[in-house]
Amino acid sequence: MLEIKNLHVKLEEEDKVILKGVNLTIEPGTVHAIMGPNGSGKSTLSYVLAGRDGYEVTDGSASLEGEDLLTMEPEERAAAGLFLAFQYPVEIPGVGNMTFLRTALNAQRKARGEAELSAGDFLKLARSTAASLKIDADMMKRPVNVGFSGGEKKRNEIMQMALLQPKMCVLDETDSGLDVDAMKLVSEGVNALRDAGRSFLVITHYQRLLDHIKPDVVHIMADGRIIQTGGPELALEVENNGYADLLAGGK
Amino acid sequence: MGALVEAKQAALAALLAGLGDMPAFAGAARAAALARVQGQGLPVKRDEYWRYSDPSRLTTPQAKAGVAVEDAGFEGIDALRIVFVDGVFDAGASDDLGSAGVEITLLSKAGGDHWAGADFGVLEAEGQVPVARPLAGLNTAFAAEGVLIRATGAASRPVALVHRQTRADSDVMLHHVIRVEEGASLTLLESGTGGARFNHVAEVLVGEGAAFHHIRVQGRDEARAALTHLFARVGAEGLFKSFTLTMNGSLTRNEAILTLAGDDGVAHVAGAAIGDGAFHHDDTVFVTHQALRCESRQVYKKVLKGGAVGVFQGKILVKQGAQKTDGYQISQSLLLDDDSQFLAKPELEIYADDVKCSHGSTSGAIDETALFYLQSRGVPEPVARHLLILAFLADAMAEIEDEAIAEHLGSLLRRWQGMAED
């Protein structure tokens, strides 16, 4: 599904190298988690995959189902099936949530040569998806993320994911700012989307989220590289012992 | 005589030479207006009030020729249409003036005993203090056409003034007097270019408990030079709302001079403007609070690119005794490139001690984070930019109360932006 080879990335504006050779292969239908201390490059990896400005890829490659991601515009990556759930979902005053979702969904369908959804069909789909995430109608009518609580913003991200039905979902610290109940709700939303054709890359600091979204593979990232890969037990090791031991072992 | 005064007088003399006789209706008010203008001279760039907008195109004897590109109107909105072609009433294209449940007379047809004789030029004259507005005075003195509207109840449908331009050099002056009597209500729509040069004055009297809504679309004509003055006096518990959508136009200055004269009155004035290239758009507003518990809002948004210039001069004057005033003013620009500029001069002058007044002014670029967020969801960059532009204008558009009209303007804006319809 997702194949990252020897990815090197620096900041465009300054001479700061963030990713120093990331290798990662994610098979269809699997859930991978990336854990790591602050500043290890986890969020940068998610932004580079999604195509955010400000980063320069100096070496390596990233492809989605064999297609080179790095030459595509962000919207082309989305249409190709990539989805990034933001750590800090952006507030967009003046753009209604429904307008935003419909514009996004229909733009993707159009890009893939599929028929656009009518207003009525979209409304039905959006309502049923919202209901499953306990997102009320009022939230759907408000401008994108404006006045949403931290939990509502994250639920809105998962709602978008559920509507857009991507193949490769990257969740960047989706657990940050969530209370226990909200984390459960968000996790249920994610788990409901798990299937043989869809993969996940879950970026998190804490093992806690992985109790709810059970990963197949766990990676530890430090200083711009993946330094260790293992099963779910690796996450528990981090929880119990912190990163220090792993980091020492990795060097 | 100073050089400035000389320049102002010379400009006036040159312009007056080309104007005809003053019309007979409201002769005393016209003579007084002319006398005032003769004392003031015409505005020049060195006037403080014209510091950001060069008035010379408005004051030359001849209008600079330009061709209208579109008559952007309120198609599909049920309204009584009154059509002016190059400033001349077109009876064939207009609806029956009696079909909106309000009294409408053309200025050119008004006799000496017409009710508007007592109102014509009154608000304009009051609006000359503390700032001189000579081109409004000139309009009072010489405008031969316009509409005189009196609503004594709820109008059965909006009245739409449609301004069309067919001559490349049309130099148009219109003067309207609108009286919304106690408890009555009226919606006035305006659209179109008017002329290569357009000097437009409307005097609006909003009676006790009356409501007046004004929604205006200034079209996309690149060559147009327009100066509009909207004078209004709002009575106790009266409501006044005006919104203007502008796209392009090489020089547009919309002035609003509003007085909240009765307790608990409300006056909102708003504008959304989009300009590209040789675009100069100036909103100049003067709101006077002179009664208790009145509310005023000024909401102006401009999207500028390609060297376009946006100007906002907005003032709230709270007179002594106008306690519990709630005054608000915001002017914002979205600069789409480094060549465009926005000049803002917000002013508050307050002589009452128990009031709430706030103002703000910002200039900024498209929010790159929001742009990326939209793109990351699959929205193509151009569409994402359009969405963010519409979002920026939303607060101003929200000042349109009528949903059907708001939706109409929204779709007009999307079309102007080159976006596909829903």
Side-chain angles (χ1 to χ4, degrees), chain A residues 39-94:
Chain A
S40 57
K42 305 185 302 291
S43 287
T44 296
L45 177 63
S46 71
Y47 285 144
V48 170
L49 289 174
R52 188 174 189 152
D53 279 346
Y55 301 99
E56 188 186 329
V57 175
T58 54
D59 199 5
S61 66
S63 63
L64 183 67
E65 293 191 310
E67 283 188 79
D68 181 8
L69 274 179
L70 302 179
T71 55
M72 294 185 204
E73 293 299 319
E75 58 267 33
E76 293 169 334
R77 301 177 196 211
L82 183 77
F83 183 90
L84 170 63
F86 281 53
Q87 181 180 3
Y88 303 109
V90 181
E91 294 186 8
I92 311 182

Side-chain angles (χ1 to χ4, degrees), chain B residues 34 261 368 372:
Chain B
L34 179 60
E368 293 295 328
F372 172 62

Side-chain angles (χ1 to χ4, degrees), chain B residues 8 15 59 72 85 101 128 141 269 275 291 294 298 335 356 390 416:
Chain B
K8 292 161 80 72
L15 185 56
T59 59
V85 178
Q128 296 292 335
V269 60
C294 290
Q298 303 170 37
L335 303 176
K356 188 172 86 183
L390 295 179
W416 282 356

